[in-house]
Amino acid sequence: MRTIKYKIVLVAALFYGVYTQAQGYWDRLEDKEPTLGVADVYQKFKTPNFQLKLVKASQTIAGLRPLKNLNFDFTPSDRLEIRDKDGLYHLGDINLRIKQGDNDWKSYSTAAKRGTVEPLKVSGNVLAAADLANTLPSDIPVTIKRYYEVIDDHLVMRFEISNKTSSSIEIGALGIPMIFNNILEGKSLNETHAQNVFFDPYIGLDAGYLEVKRLSGQGPALLVLPQENLPFEAYRPLNDDPTPRSIVFEGFHEWMVYSKAYAEQEWKGVNQWNTPTSLVLEPGKSKNFSLKLVLSEGIESIQATLKKEQQPVATGIPGYVIPQDIKAHLFLDYSSDISSIHVEPKGAIKLKADGITDKGVKKYTVEGKTWGRSIVTITYADGKKQTINYKVIKPESEVIRDFGHFLTTEQWFDEPDPIFKRNPSVISYDYETKKQLTQDSRAWVAGLSDEGGAGGWLAAIMKQLVQPDKEEINKLQMFVDSTLWGNIQYNDGKNKYGVKKSVFYYEPDSLPKGTYSDTINYKTWAAWDHKHANDPGRSYNYPHVAAAYWVMYRLARYNEGLVDNHTWDWYLEQAYHTVIAMVEQAPYYAQFGQMEGSVFLYILKDLQLENYTEMASDLEARMKNRADHWEALEYPFGSEMPWDSTGQEEVYMWSDYFGYRHKAWVTLRAILAYMPTMPHWAYNGNARRYWDFLYGGKLSRVERQIHHYGSSLNAIPVLEQYRKRPEDLYLLKVGYGGLLGGISNITQDGFGPAAFHSYPSTLRIDYLSGDYGSGFYGYAVNTSSYLTKDENLGWLAFGGNVEQKGDLVSVELTTAAKSKIYIAPKKLWLTLDAGTFNKVIYNSKTDEVTLVLNPKTEFTPYAYLRVNNEDIKLSYSKVRGAYQIPLEKRSLEVKL
């Protein structure tokens, strides 16, 4: 496969046609009059950790370079000369909303209309200071002075706000724009990974912080921490900044200290992450607000850096998405005692003190009682407050059961559809109107292909891998025979096994009048005509189809009577031919890693187990060509989009399989750069996505998406790597955050939405099912339980409830599948192709493991157990590498 060097903007333009519009915004921005004062002199300072550069006229930050790597700048200094206009934010700006008496809130910003600030005399540890009056409206009732200073070797930015009136005022909004270099416009992947950053917020009041990480995952990470009076109350998108937001720029946000004014207006009626507050400032009084900029040696050491900087550090096990049948744990590491813990809504979460670890970490047992979002507020004796946002969900088995039922009933489409032939199928769904989506201006959303259209049926089939249901499988067999094979996928001719971009299309002149709704605007590039819809050249559609066949193969091969429309080998061969068709009929995009591309590896392994030597060799050779191509690239994470977080899943898996260890490591570092772990269910394990609401959502905008499909897909390589390095608890926390994040947005009645909206004006699920199926694939193939022991936190279980009695440590599995468990002290990976675990018992003294298997069922008379340790021998016969264990009418114990 040839190496193709490309610019981000080119690939984006080829597929989505949005570059021209964004470029127009950039051109208009460049034509505006400069007001920042960039043409004048800069001021440079050296702190113990940074080289700091200020624009002399504005004293905003023009450069922030770590001394250990002066070639790298955390700020968008490369755009400074085009972003030197009124209304564009820079690090050092401040926004306020203030109310005087009974008047309305009035907004003020240092960025709105630039003026040269008045420098102040400095001494001691102050590097630079200014009175900001000249860059603020004259009617502002406060004076604001800004100071850059060094305190305890850290660079500190401080704002001193004073009430200059004779009456009290209320500050209802105070925000500090967080302007770092996340503008990917016009750069190659090599350039973005070397020059750009992403940042993630922990919106946790006094314990809150912002972590800023290079796209490569290398070098020091920057932490923005509260220094004085700077609780992280809200995180507001700065959509008034004219920098063009697009698939190459998510936009900027601000750290909000007070947010009451927005909660009363733009955010009215929306349940915020934290209770919105304000400040009443009496006449003549002043208050300081400061943050500090701290370097962490690496991403994995962020929590250690927080502890060193005397920030409260919380660790949730298994995370902050809490199924109602588990006893989770919360560890609080902070020097001050706890004065109180408050839960909102009342009783939604039960916390019980559970002692203190040997290193003084406070331990709590956490149980979710009420479904939905919950806030735990911890008040420390020194006055600091920390909030932890949890999401309580039903037990995983109930979540998945309800999900499967919703898909195969509410989303089951079996109406006459003679033109597009989509019946029967699981079709896209609008949860707001409670209706199936049979038409959309984006052809694929109603067309059963692409991520945004295949999401429903893919999710329904993947659900069977976790929790097979005969009635649901019967429907899906009809879908395979009537809709998938022969309509979504070509079943004959030159395009045989090719997958269409959409089976819905817009061609009103060739179809009967009334075919299309007159309430939908079809005058867009996304309303493909018949020719474009039938195009098999989009590689990303193939993994959905291959995954569907692979699941049906597994169900037919390892169970009895679940699948009866085709034999197991028909399904496996269909999966193989689909993968080959991708490489042959969609070669351009096949050069990139595919979302759900890990299924190709699972198909290969099953071909090998079945001794399908010729097919396996062919598939392996073709995948190696792709992996060789990735091995030749420094950052092989391209896609049809300019930058993406979905190709890494497959790139890692094949790089690891073919022994390209360095490329696998580079890929993992990139994942960790955009997939954090922090005490907030929405951001913990949330792999960055910010444009797919445009292509698969109902509320269409560029916006950081909460647990879009990237979370659970990227959890696949993270947890795979953890099983290679079980001493690295950081990987397990990140991976499991993404895994449970992948099902956190499923509603109480079982609807799976595209993602959750992060804007504080919304904070709810999107109402379209969209591309959620890709995310559920990640959950389905990766759901598993983990038992590990941390030297400080003790025995921990992810995906189960752990109990210790002497040397015996048992885990009762709580996942929906109950088919996989990893015992970290033994590096033992146990998986079932059929059958389920009830409990696993580990003797920490003798290293003996006892498995308790659940009874047989109508369709599962045998368990098929795989053990990754060849030294372990069982008395059962082996079938395709798995121990075939006859199940009984009651639980069965198996000792390893």
Side-chain angles (χ1 to χ4, degrees), residues 407 428 448-460 769-774:
L407 287 164
S428 297
L448 301 184
S449 200
D450 195 289
E451 293 72 65
W457 60 259
L458 173 63
S769 53
D771 44 16
Y772 177 65
S774 296

Side-chain angles (χ1 to χ4, degrees), residues 622-633:
R622 293 174 187 261
M623 295 302 106
K624 190 172 188 302
N625 284 338
R626 299 171 70 223
D628 288 345
H629 170 63
W630 300 331
E631 173 69 2
L633 300 176

Side-chain angles (χ1 to χ4, degrees), residues 237-257:
L238 295 171
N239 291 338
D240 55 329
D241 186 303
T243 308
R245 292 180 302 119
S246 68
I247 55 177
V248 286
F249 177 53
E250 176 187 349
F252 297 124
H253 289 69
E254 69 176 352
W255 176 314
M256 296 204 73
V257 179

